Amino acid sequence: MVEHGATDEKDLSCGVKRNDLFEILKKNRDRIRQLHNVALQLSKAENEERIYDLIIEASRKILKFDTYSLDIVEGENLVVKRISECVTDSDAQVYSKQDGIAGRTLREGKTIALGSLAGNCEAKPISSDYKSALSIPVGIYGVFQTASNVEDAYREEDIDLAELLIAHAAEAISRVRARKEIFRLTYHDCLTGALSRYGLSEFAMMEIEKARKCDSPLSMIMIDIDNFKAINDSMGHVYGDFILSWIVRKIKEVIRGSDLIIRWGGDEFILMLAGSDRSKASMTAERIRSHIKSECERENVKVAVSMGLTCYHGTGDGVDQMIFRADIALYEAKRQGKDCLRTF
């Protein structure tokens, strides 16, 4: 009877352990399924801000990480993009990408699990309550870190699932940045940063279509740098390139973020001013001329611009017709002494 009772007790114990193991497996299977859904959302994310939000949402709801920091590389620094509410140290928003556990995680490109922070000189926890931590590289793009008030808080399966999540996030960031770079190379002039002719074809038609549908004003200004050939001949092409970039920077300091600046060719640029009628566009043009003149005096640069202005005439009008009219107005500005605005 004693032996039979011992066997029952042993079988019961094994049954409990099997049940515990089953529950753990079920829990991990559910978490993997949820992380798979997050991975699908990451693969469709349109920008990095959305990726950051998905990382944190999954970390909190699926992995149950209440204390976290997502830091992304910008130049020589790591910049905190997302941080848990319980972390209130605003002085730690930007730090060297060489510093501490985060720096080592980024350099080595592998996860660092710290079962105990006690006596670790690299670990610089914001709170002395933190006893253990996990630091995971987000590819080459940054570091995700989480901390706990309990030592050895992160089990092997927790680390594996966290690495799975962050690997998908790194891939999503890579995809978004690659697409952004392709867009930049396709639609932007590499010297000045203005839109290229491809950009004009793509975005000018969109602005015209919006103006037509909404019956709203749209203006175009063609800008030409006065005596640019003489500048190139006397000062050299390097200085000429500087002038081209300088002019674009100064124009951007005056126009709205929604206005389009396109490098039409050589030293000619086109501005598309959505929502601006002839009067508003004329004021913008004069602000540009005035700003360039004052900046020339301040920075000891000698350059001026001539401008030709036209407006969208409604249904039947198009980009080519507007360019034709703006070019005629620009030619008139040149003919009448340069450094002025004329309209058509």
Side-chain angles (χ1 to χ4, degrees):
M1 293 292 291
V2 174
E3 290 181 0
H4 180 68
T7 301
D8 288 344
E9 186 177 333
K10 182 179 179 180
D11 290 343
L12 181 61
S13 176
C14 289
V16 170
K17 289 179 180 178
R18 282 197 296 271
N19 287 337
D20 288 345
L21 181 59
F22 177 78
E23 287 301 318
I24 291 172
L25 290 173
K26 182 177 181 297
K27 180 180 178 182
N28 285 339
R29 184 187 64 187
D30 291 342
R31 292 202 293 177
I32 290 171
R33 185 183 294 113
Q34 292 176 67
L35 285 175
H36 176 69
N37 291 332
V38 174
L40 290 177
Q41 294 180 65
L42 284 167
S43 70
K44 299 174 183 178
E46 295 294 325
N47 55 67
E48 288 192 38
E49 292 298 319
R50 174 60 176 158
I51 294 171
Y52 302 158
D53 288 339
L54 285 169
I55 294 172
I56 298 308
E57 184 178 350
S59 298
R60 293 178 62 245
K61 294 183 178 180
I62 302 173
L63 302 177
K64 306 302 181 183
F65 296 159
D66 294 325
T67 303
Y68 54 80
S69 179
L70 175 62
D71 311 339
I72 298 298
V73 174
E74 292 186 7
E76 294 303 310
N77 294 319
L78 278 163
V79 179
V80 177
K81 298 296 185 178
R82 299 291 186 276
I83 194 165
S84 51
E85 293 180 0
C86 60
V87 181
T88 58
D89 187 353
S90 59
D91 294 332
Q93 298 300 304
V94 180
Y95 59 99
S96 171
K97 66 181 183 180
Q98 305 298 327
D99 286 354
I101 295 297
R104 180 153 73 91
T105 302
L106 193 62
R107 289 193 303 274
E108 296 180 359
K110 62 183 182 182
T111 298
I112 298 175
L114 299 171
S116 175
L117 298 179
N120 190 308
C121 59
E122 281 186 301
K124 300 174 183 177
I126 293 173
S127 172
S128 59
D129 293 335
Y130 299 149
K131 305 301 181 185
S132 59
L134 192 61
S135 184
I136 306 173
V138 187
I140 60 173
Y141 308 110
V143 178
F144 174 82
Q145 294 183 304
T146 181
S148 173
N149 295 346
V150 180
E151 289 193 350
D152 296 315
Y154 305 102
R155 298 172 299 177
E156 187 175 341
E157 57 265 30
D158 296 322
I159 298 172
D160 288 344
L161 291 176
E163 287 180 328
L164 181 64
L165 167 66
I166 299 304
H168 281 292
E171 185 178 340
I173 292 173
S174 176
R175 174 182 53 78
V176 166
R177 291 192 179 185
R179 187 175 60 193
K180 186 183 294 186
E181 181 64 9
I182 291 170
F183 180 89
R184 186 186 69 81
L185 292 173
T186 302
Y187 294 110
H188 288 80
D189 172 55
C190 60
L191 174 63
T192 64
L195 288 169
S196 64
R197 282 199 178 209
Y198 286 111
L200 175 66
S201 301
E202 182 79 12
F203 297 105
M205 285 303 301
M206 290 171 57
E207 293 298 340
I208 286 176
E209 185 63 16
K210 284 192 291 185
R212 185 186 66 79
K213 285 185 176 180
C214 302
D215 193 25
S216 59
L218 173 67
S219 295
M220 174 186 287
I221 301 173
M222 184 171 284
I223 302 173
D224 183 85
I225 300 175
D226 294 335
N227 306 314
F228 185 70
K229 185 178 183 304
I231 292 173
N232 257 341
D233 292 343
S234 61
M235 303 295 289
H237 290 281
V238 173
Y239 186 76
D241 288 348
F242 161 76
I243 289 296
L244 290 169
S245 298
W246 187 88
I247 285 290
V248 171
R249 286 200 307 273
K250 299 309 165 184
I251 291 173
K252 286 182 176 180
E253 289 171 2
V254 173
I255 63 176
R256 302 166 299 180
S258 58
D259 295 331
L260 304 180
I261 177 167
I262 302 104
R263 187 178 181 189
W264 177 238
D267 61 319
E268 287 187 333
F269 298 89
I270 288 175
L271 287 182
M272 297 289 290
L273 308 177
S276 292
D277 57 16
R278 188 179 302 272
S279 175
K280 288 182 179 179
S282 296
M283 288 189 288
T284 298
E286 289 302 333
R287 281 201 306 272
I288 290 171
R289 279 202 327 114
S290 176
H291 183 61
I292 288 174
K293 188 168 294 186
S294 63
E295 289 294 283
C296 281
E297 295 175 1
R298 191 176 68 85
E299 299 185 22
N300 194 29
V301 175
K302 294 182 179 179
V303 69
V305 296
S306 297
M307 291 181 278
L309 166 65
T310 191
C311 296
Y312 175 60
H313 289 174
T315 303
D317 202 3
V319 176
D320 291 340
Q321 294 95 320
M322 292 183 72
I323 290 174
F324 177 75
R325 296 195 302 272
D327 193 42
I328 291 176
L330 175 62
Y331 176 79
E332 188 64 17
K334 291 284 190 181
R335 193 181 69 82
Q336 294 188 17
K338 304 177 182 179
D339 190 21
C340 63
L341 168 72
R342 293 295 179 266
T343 62
F344 186 102

